[in-house]
């Protein structure tokens, strides 16, 4: 069955992030805009974040609010549109100045920003990694000409992370799962662990077949798969039957899913026809 959405060119896998344009460096700690006194339990927020642009020619971010804990933060930006975009973090009130400065910069990238990705074409992605030592509220914008003025902006909140920031690797809210290579109908990681709260899983399709990642309660896997069959051409289950699902993506593409989970054991599967039956499943343990 042809699936039109997957024939578009795909460019890029996750790249190592930088704090300034084209691979530069900056001070270890940025931003001291103290306005968010909240303290959160370690692991209840993720410092490994993903944000997409809107589809097509829409000049907007898919999310207009992000939250992270103090410390090292990584933001991966996926350009899902058809025009160039970037993701730029600034102090509130400096949006206009940053956009104006970027208009004269190479690739319209704002070297004076707190953090930013490269300007990337549709289908590509880039990552910014930076440190924020104290809680605060910031803005993120796209500095490509005309995009901020059209509304491509959002709010970035940094809260005090109790116990030292983001949860440790292997037990945090920011998790990564890869599909098997080539035509394999498997996940490379079949066991995940996270702390209770909002759990985010970034799914990388490393194979050549379409896949998705769906989080369900144990025993409800087949129900989700049966629902997905009726939802061609994406083959994702109905939202009321699952705890969370990515889109169905082609090889080389990345998507993410977030779900608020209580302690317990959950399943994650690929609901694309035939893939769960072939063994594409895993276990997510929430503590």
């Amino acid at each position: 069955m042809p699936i039109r959405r997957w024939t578009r060119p795909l460019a890029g896998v996750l790249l190592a992030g930088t704090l300034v344009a084209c691979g530069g460096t900056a001070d270890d700690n940025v931003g001291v805009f103290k306005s968010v006194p909240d303290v959160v339990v370690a692991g209840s927020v993720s410092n490994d974040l993903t944000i997409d642009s809107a589809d097509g020619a829409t000049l907007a971010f898919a999310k207009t609010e992000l939250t992270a804990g103090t410390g090292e933060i990584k933001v991966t930006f996926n350009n899902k549109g058809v025009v160039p975009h970037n993701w730029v973090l600034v102090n509130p009130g400096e949006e206009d100045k940053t956009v104006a400065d970027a208009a004269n910069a190479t690739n319209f990238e704002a070297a004076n920003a707190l953090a930013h990705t490269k300007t990337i074409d549709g289908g590509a992605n880039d990552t910014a990694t930076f440190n924020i030592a104290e809680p605060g509220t910031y803005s993120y914008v796209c500095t490509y000409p005309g995009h901020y003025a059209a509304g491509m902006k959002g709010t970035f909140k940094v809260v005090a992370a109790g116990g030292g920031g983001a949860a440790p690797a292997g037990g945090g809210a920011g998790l990564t799962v890869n599909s098997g290579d080539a035509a394999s109908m498997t996940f490379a990681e079949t066991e995940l662990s996270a702390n209770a709260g909002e759990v985010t899983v970034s799914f990388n399709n490393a194979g050549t077949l379409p896949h998705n990642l769906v989080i369900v309660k144990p025993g409800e896997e087949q129900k989700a798969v049966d629902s997905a069959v009726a939802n061609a051409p994406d083959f994702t289950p109905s939202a009321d039957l699952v705890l969370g699902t990515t889109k169905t993506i082609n090889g080389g593409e990345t998507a993410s899913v977030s779900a608020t989970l209580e302690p317990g054991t959950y399943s994650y599967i690929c609901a694309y026809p035939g893939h769960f039956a072939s063994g594409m499943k895993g276990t997510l343990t929430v503590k």
Side-chain angles (χ1 to χ4, degrees):
M1 176 182 294
I3 302 172
R4 295 189 299 274
R5 187 167 68 82
W6 301 328
T7 60
R8 67 180 185 275
L10 297 167
V13 294
L14 293 178
L15 303 175
T18 58
L19 179 59
V20 295
C22 299
T25 59
D27 294 338
D28 287 339
N29 295 314
V30 297
V32 290
F33 192 81
K34 302 177 183 178
S35 63
V36 183
D38 307 81
V39 176
V40 297
V41 177
S44 63
V45 295
S46 174
N47 280 28
D48 189 351
L49 306 173
T50 300
I51 186 168
D52 301 337
S53 74
D55 294 335
T58 302
L59 304 182
F61 291 110
K63 297 178 183 177
T64 57
E65 184 172 307
L66 295 175
T67 301
T70 50
E72 184 176 87
I73 301 169
K74 182 171 73 172
V75 176
T76 298
F77 173 54
N78 302 309
N79 187 346
K80 299 292 188 179
V82 295
V83 295
H85 293 304
N86 56 36
W87 183 90
V88 181
L89 182 69
V90 299
N91 281 313
E94 297 185 2
E95 298 90 346
D96 290 337
K97 181 180 184 302
T98 302
V99 171
D101 291 345
N104 299 313
T106 302
N107 295 324
F108 308 109
E109 293 165 10
N112 63 333
L114 298 176
H116 68 84
T117 67
K118 298 176 183 177
T119 299
I120 54 177
D121 293 328
N125 54 58
D126 193 29
T127 301
T129 301
F130 51 97
N131 277 274
I132 295 185
E134 298 186 41
T137 298
Y138 305 85
S139 298
Y140 56 89
V141 302
C142 175
T143 60
Y144 197 86
H147 293 197
Y148 168 68
M152 197 162 183
K153 56 189 175 181
T155 300
F156 192 92
K157 296 181 179 180
V158 178
V159 297
L175 306 172
T176 300
V177 174
N178 301 284
S179 74
D181 295 335
S184 173
M185 298 181 193
T186 59
F187 290 114
E189 296 82 18
T190 57
E191 292 188 7
L192 298 177
S193 178
N195 294 324
E198 184 177 49
V199 177
T200 299
V201 180
S202 180
F203 173 53
N204 304 314
N205 187 344
T208 57
L209 301 175
H211 295 304
N212 54 41
L213 187 147
V214 182
I215 301 174
V216 296
K217 294 179 179 179
E220 298 188 0
E221 296 90 347
Q222 192 60 51
K223 184 189 299 183
V225 170
D226 292 342
S227 170
V229 171
N231 288 337
D234 287 330
F235 298 110
T236 51
S238 299
D240 59 338
L241 297 179
V242 301
L243 299 173
T245 180
T246 69
K247 295 184 288 188
T248 297
I249 56 176
N250 202 0
E253 200 168 10
T254 297
S256 63
V257 54
S258 295
T260 301
L261 302 176
E262 298 178 353
T265 301
Y266 303 86
S267 297
Y268 56 94
I269 65 172
C270 176
Y272 193 86
H275 292 198
F276 170 67
S278 296
M280 197 162 183
K281 55 188 174 182
T283 299
L284 170 61
T285 302
V286 178
K287 303 174 182 178

